[in-house]
Amino acid sequence: VDNGPLSWLGVFEDLPIYSNEFNSTLFKMHLYNAKHDYHMLYFAVKEPCVLQQQEADSLEDYIRRRGAECDYSHQDPSNDFQRVLGPYGSLYTEEEARDKFRGIELLTLESDTGQARAIFDVRHKVQAQAYFNIGLTCFLGLLFVVWFGSIGRDARTFLIDPITAIMDMIAELSRDPVGFAAKVPVVNALDNFSDARQVEAAFIKVAKITKVALGEAGLRILSENLLPGGRQLNLMLPGKVVEACFGFCDIRNFTDATEVLREGVLVFVNTIAQLVHKCVLEHQGAPNKNIGDAFLMVWKKAEAADTAINVDNFSEFEPFGSFADNALAAVLSLLDELDNSRILKRLVQDPRLQERLPNYKVRMGFGLHVGWGIEGAIGSVHKIDPSYLSPHVNLASRLESATKFYGVHVLISSAVLSKLLQPHHIQGTRLLDKITVKGSVKPIELFTFDRESDAESCTVSLPEYKEKYEKAVRLYLDGNWPEAISHLQQCRRDWPDDQPAKNLIAYMQHTGGVAP
């Protein structure tokens, strides 16, 4: 409320009531109130501004002579104020005004000296202020909703969602480290998740490095050894029995290569390791150990859910996949890679290596055997190696060593042959011998796989040669060595470069040609 009405009240303090000047001022105040939308309900003044009877026969005569219209009987008896009547004066008494209107709808003003008082109807102003307050409240509420939504959206976009994404990454890494390591990191500076993406890329890099260091199977084994919460390793857990085809391979003449190449031998062996791991992974296997010039490889058989493996009798557990075929296919693929690798051909042309080993070519021996193994993490919190423990693992290693005696690239146990499903794999194998290997109780039959590329000097077909050779081996195993030698000599004429025939003849002749 402005100070206009209050200022007008101060003017009336020195004016006699109903005088021309009083009436004129009252009219002017009425115009002001009308212009500024003040509705005056009550107006009264006190002494000394109340007109005293002077120079007149009566008060009515004085009022009439001054031009005022006043009914003196309307004077308020309840207080010292005299209500001003007339068309521009009071509409109600003070009590009537306060009874008719609510207190919030009235504006009561008094002059500075308290000589004049007025009461105004301000309902329209109160309503306008109420509407304004409602509008302001709605506006501020809407503004708060928009602001909160904007802040909430930004908080979710730049804080909550990235943190949630990082927590999801950690959970995914703990749940499936191998799958996480296979992810492709996506880092985009314009992405709202750019920080989270960088964290994800770092996690993926760590997972990839761990996978390279431990292998895919090793990463799975270690993930299973993590305690709930993933804070530390628990190595005091029982291993897991799995059926698998275990493969051992060895680089021939590695000691000579190491002495000649010295620091360059790492490039040499890592080039071979790259080919070994590539072929194993391409055929659903898992590289497990790198032991200088030797490598352990594992092809696990797919297991049915909730099926227990009887380690004493695998015949009760029917094969669910050609894991043995995958193992043999990986070995054959690797032999082809070794023959055709331009990088290896360039490396073996080192003058020092050729001087030490004239016409040197990279050759490897392979031993494959199927059996059960205990899968688990071996070591302590200071150093661990995911690995497989079993006499069958050791047997695969001994088969690889025996390839040197038989003069073949690969030796396959009868356990592997029994698991082969591919016809061309079964038909390509050839029986070489039946022996009792150290660490084994029962004799096992040994087979090799004949490649066309290794039989260039063979004058008959490989299936025909296989039939002749295996007939000689059966005679040898039955103790009929003279007949066995005769048949093997015929095999030598058909395939002069066949080392198994040559070595078996030499063995029997060395013992006098008579079975013990």
Side-chain angles (χ1 to χ4, degrees), residues 213-214 218 221-222 288-289 376-380 383-388:
L214 302 175
I221 293 172
L222 289 184
N288 183 254
K289 281 186 180 180
I378 303 171
S380 68
K383 177 68 173 70
I384 54 174
D385 290 306
S387 189
Y388 297 85

Side-chain angles (χ1 to χ4, degrees), residues 167-178 180 219-220 222-224 226-227 229-231:
M167 297 302 295
D168 291 340
M169 293 172 205
I170 295 174
E172 181 182 358
L173 177 59
S174 301
R175 183 175 59 254
D176 183 16
V178 176
F180 191 87
L219 197 58
R220 291 190 186 277
L222 289 184
S223 66
E224 292 172 359
L226 289 174
L227 288 172
R231 296 185 178 180

